[in-house]
């Protein structure tokens, strides 16, 4: 039997990711990779007038965990304020992925998209 | 298959009786670290229950027994690699530390601005980064022997790198931990010596798996790790006496000195000059037991067994749709197969295989430049040792078929 990590919901996001592609005229445009496993992500996002996340899209290559996590994140964060997203961490990702507990080796994969988004938010703040 | 009695060998490795996720464990990651035979585990227990004490110091019975066993391990290691004398065998923490020792002592003393350091594209980071950093410190040039598409070293390119006499050192692996390629070491050493360069051989993969004779190879330095050959974590640096004697110490402290005054010290003779502080005593004695175990099996027979396994593995793996193997044909490699699949990221391969009790490594295996050369960010890798059998490969292939069924889009 497949484990929690490879259950149908995550596999659906992996096989058919949501918001896959590059957002034109994006406020956030970040490329990030996982040196240890070669996962890559190109994340683009637009903020609304009040600084909330309006739309997120991503492109990338990686394992089921990183790609499914990115796909789910693009839905999860819409409408959230900057501070809310910056406050997110591993427990939020584990909850989003269905309440699974990630092994040490998969944490970086699962949080790749979140780290990209947070880096982008910090860059827009500084700009 | 050979008359090799793999079941008898397996019976010597208690961990193989374990199950993972309710399945018998299929251990295919010996290239990262090998499992330990009973005799090694038993030796550790015996040292601590029978005679443990610090080495090279006491005059009491335990101290003398410990020292005798510790120095006995050095003799065994020396015989194993056909070193002319045991004093040329230096114990380190691992192969990485052994290579750093050479780069930091011999390298600091012998490499200057404008000199060329030659490594290969297939090096493990441990035989690349110390040289890369030495080159940066010294203003030396770091040059790479390219790897061909088929996973072999381009010796014509090596000849060109040696032609102008600027090359001072050629550091290369005897066997790639990713491609499995067994390099033409004797020829590389000959070419390097003709050009006046010193040779540093990374034997981390070769020494546990095939006969290695430092005198037949005419090598200058050889580094390897005990933990990849069934021993606890102990490293070995072998070097020619004249080179070791001329090198400054690496670490300073107890045991490596002959005489200390307040503002001046004199160094101990080799190998002790390079073994500062209390070493991992029981672990090193157990390395001696691992060497005895492998010698009992016969290194030629070990190599033969693994060649049969790798040939079978390459044939069977290509039955898996969308699977690609890196590196040369089976007869040119040791028991290592790195591969990637169209349908699955290496992490997913390793995670799904784990659910079947099959242990493989996923990632760049400490060889990022090599993966970059092939344009693949990561691979999955299966590797074989004395305890592996064709059934292990069948289990691997069955698990990979399941990966395809689950993840193919």
């Amino acid at each position: 039997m497949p484990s929690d990590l490879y259950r149908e919901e995550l596999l659906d996001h992996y096989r058919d990711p949501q918001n896959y592609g590059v957002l034109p005229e994006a406020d956030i445009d970040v490329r990030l990779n996982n040196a240890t496993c070669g996962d890559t992500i190109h994340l683009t996002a637009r903020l609304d007038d009040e600084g909330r996340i309006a739309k997120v899209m991503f492109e990338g290559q990686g394992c089921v965990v990183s790609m499914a996590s990115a796909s789910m994140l693009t839905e999860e964060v819409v409408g959230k304020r900057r501070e809310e997203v910056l406050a997110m961490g591993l427990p939020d990702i584990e909850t989003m992925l269905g309440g699974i507990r990630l092994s040490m080796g998969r944490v970086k994969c699962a949080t790749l998209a979140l780290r990209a988004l947070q880096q982008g938010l910090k860059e827009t703040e500084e700009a | 298959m050979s008359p090799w009695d793999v079941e008898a060998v397996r019976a010597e490795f208690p961990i193989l009786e374990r199950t993972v996720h309710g399945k018998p464990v299929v251990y295919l990651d010996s290239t990262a670290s090998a499992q330990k035979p009973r005799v090694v585990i038993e030796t550790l227990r015996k040292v601590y229950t029978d005679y443990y004490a610090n080495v090279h110091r006491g005059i009491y019975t335990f101290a003398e027994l410990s020292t005798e066993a510790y120095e006995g391990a050095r003799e065994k290691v020396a015989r194993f690699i056909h070193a002319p004398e045991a004093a040329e065998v230096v114990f380190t923490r691992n192969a990485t530390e052994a290579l750093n020792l050479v780069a930091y002592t011999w390298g600091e003393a012998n490499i200057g601005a404008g000199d060329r350091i030659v490594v290969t594209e297939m090096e493990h980071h441990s035989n690349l980064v110390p040289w890369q950093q030495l080159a940066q410190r010294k203003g030396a040039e770091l040059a790479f022997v390219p790897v061909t598409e088929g996973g072999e070293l381009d010796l014509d390119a090596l000849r060109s790198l040696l032609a102008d006499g600027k090359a001072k050192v050629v550091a290369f692996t005897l066997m790639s931990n990713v491609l499995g390629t067994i390099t033409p070491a004797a020829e590389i050493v000959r070419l390097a010596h003709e050009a006046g360069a010193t040779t540093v051989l990374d034997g981390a993969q070769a020494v546990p798996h095939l006969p290695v004779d430092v005198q037949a190879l005419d090598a200058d330095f050889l580094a390897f790790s005990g933990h990849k050959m069934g021993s606890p974590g102990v490293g070995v640096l072998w070097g020619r006496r004249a080179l070791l004697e001329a090198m400054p110490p690496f670490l300073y402290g107890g045991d490596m000195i002959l005489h200390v005054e307040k503002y001046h010290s004199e160094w101990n003779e080799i190998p002790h000059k390079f073994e500062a502080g209390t070493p991992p005593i029981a672990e090193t004695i157990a390395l001696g037991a691992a060497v005895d175990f492998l010698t009992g099996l016969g290194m030629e027979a070990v190599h033969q067994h693994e060649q049969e396994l790798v040939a079978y593995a390459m044939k069977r793996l290509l039955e898996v749709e969308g699977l690609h193997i890196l590196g040369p044909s089976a007869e040119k490699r040791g028991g290592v197969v790195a591969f990637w699949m169209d349908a699955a990221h290496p992490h997913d391969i390793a995670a799904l295989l784990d659910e079947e009790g099959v242990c493989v490594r996923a990632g760049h295996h400490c060889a990022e430049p090599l993966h970059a050369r092939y344009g693949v960010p990561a691979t999955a890798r299966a590797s074989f040792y004395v305890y592996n059998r064709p059934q292990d490969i069948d289990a691997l292939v069955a698990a990979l078929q399941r990966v395809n069924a689950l993840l193919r889009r």
Side-chain angles (χ1 to χ4, degrees), chain B residues 9-285:
Chain B
V9 175
R10 292 177 66 81
E12 298 301 320
F13 290 82
I15 203 170
L16 300 179
E17 293 159 20
R18 267 210 57 176
T19 55
V20 177
H21 308 303
K23 312 253 168 81
V25 69
V26 176
Y27 190 72
L28 299 177
D29 197 22
S30 300
T31 284
S33 199
Q35 298 300 346
K36 316 305 175 196
R38 205 178 301 278
V39 63
V40 165
I41 301 165
E42 187 54 29
T43 297
L44 284 174
R45 194 196 63 78
K46 209 164 154 354
V47 173
Y48 290 129
T49 54
D50 284 11
Y51 59 83
Y52 178 80
N54 211 333
V55 290
H56 305 142
R57 299 192 198 4
I59 316 176
Y60 51 95
T61 305
F62 283 0
E64 284 178 352
L65 288 171
S66 272
T67 304
E68 215 168 277
Y70 181 83
E71 291 303 323
R74 200 188 306 276
E75 302 272 351
K76 289 174 183 182
V77 168
R79 279 196 295 275
F80 191 61
I81 57 170
H82 304 272
E85 52 170 328
E88 295 179 341
V89 171
V90 176
F91 290 124
T92 61
R93 200 156 57 88
N94 44 39
T96 298
E97 189 178 274
L99 292 162
N100 272 278
L101 193 162
V102 179
Y104 269 105
T105 61
W106 181 89
E108 282 294 332
N110 290 282
I111 300 294
D115 287 345
R116 183 177 300 133
I117 298 170
V118 179
V119 296
T120 86
E121 269 182 350
M122 63 167 73
E123 293 314 304
H124 186 284
H125 294 164
S126 60
N127 199 29
L128 165 57
V129 184
W131 301 113
Q132 182 190 72
Q133 296 304 307
L134 177 67
Q136 287 180 17
R137 287 198 299 277
K138 296 290 185 175
E141 176 202 347
L142 182 67
F144 290 81
V145 179
V147 173
T148 65
E149 197 57 33
E152 296 181 73
L153 292 177
D154 180 347
L155 291 193
D156 285 336
L158 172 64
R159 285 187 191 92
S160 315
L161 288 171
L162 294 170
D164 61 6
K166 282 188 179 171
K168 290 288 179 292
V169 58
V170 179
F172 69 98
T173 184
L174 293 175
M175 174 177 155
S176 162
N177 71 316
V178 176
L179 306 169
T181 312
I182 297 169
T183 57
E187 189 176 358
I188 295 171
V189 171
R190 187 179 58 78
L191 293 171
H193 283 173
E194 280 172 12
T198 299
T199 52
V200 181
L201 281 57
D202 175 3
Q205 293 309 328
V207 173
H209 297 276
L210 38 125
V212 172
D213 181 332
V214 292
Q215 294 187 77
L217 291 170
D218 197 26
D220 298 311
F221 293 104
L222 170 74
F224 59 99
S225 270
H227 75 91
K228 293 187 201 285
M229 49 195 280
S231 140
V234 184
V236 176
L237 172 68
W238 169 83
R240 287 177 191 267
R241 172 179 277 276
L243 288 167
L244 292 176
E245 283 182 339
M247 280 152 58
F250 180 36
L251 300 171
Y252 299 91
D255 220 29
M256 56 78 63
I257 45 78
L258 198 62
H259 173 65
V260 178
E261 293 167 23
K262 265 179 147 173
Y263 301 104
H264 171 79
S265 297
E266 286 168 35
W267 313 135
N268 205 337
E269 59 194 15
I270 64 163
H272 308 294
K273 182 171 83 175
F274 296 106
E275 292 180 10
T278 296
I281 297 162
E283 292 87 336
T284 306
I285 296 170

Side-chain angles (χ1 to χ4, degrees), chain A residues 3 6 14-15 39 64 106, chain B residues 345 347-348 351 355 406 409:
Chain A
S3 68
Y6 295 94
Y14 173 71
R15 295 192 191 104
D39 287 359
V64 169
R106 305 310 283 270
Chain B
H345 187 280
H347 272 186
D348 294 320
E355 292 177 5
L406 198 64
R409 292 188 242 205

